[in-house]
Amino acid sequence: MIEALKDRVNGDASLVRRGRYLTTTFLLEVGRTAWLIQVFEGRIVAVTRGPFVMPSSAFALRAPAEEWEKFWSERPPPGSNDLMALIKRRVLKTEGDLQVFMANLRYFKEALGKLRAGVSA
């Protein structure tokens, strides 16, 4: 499912425009599975599945698979509907250069929201 992120984000011109000043690589952990996601000027250029020996990324977002499943459901329950809600509930761990994440928070919220059931590009 994570592989679809590239096409769904790149197919949304307004989201790509929102991230036009964003170039970074971040780590997304869904349970025990890690993904490196490379963003260049708002476009996702690569989604690489781990495992990795020493992944290089600006920051990491880590949560149990069950929490991501709730977040990506068509109608997420309260507390699972937003990245900040996951952080507040302490089920989403953020590590690394959080300035990049926070400065582009809406981009990341919308990009990861593209993986929700029933959402198209």
Side-chain angles (χ1 to χ4, degrees), residues 22-28 58-62 68 71 82-87 92-112:
L22 174 63
T23 298
T24 192
T25 299
F26 69 99
L27 183 75
L28 179 68
F59 64 92
L61 301 174
R62 306 173 196 271
W68 285 118
F71 178 78
D82 185 76
L83 294 178
M84 294 308 286
L86 293 172
I87 290 170
L92 176 62
K93 308 275 191 272
T94 54
E95 302 169 356
D97 184 4
L98 297 184
Q99 191 278 332
V100 174
F101 174 66
M102 294 303 290
N104 298 282
L105 183 60
R106 185 162 175 199
Y107 175 87
F108 290 111
K109 285 181 178 187
E110 290 182 22
L112 293 175

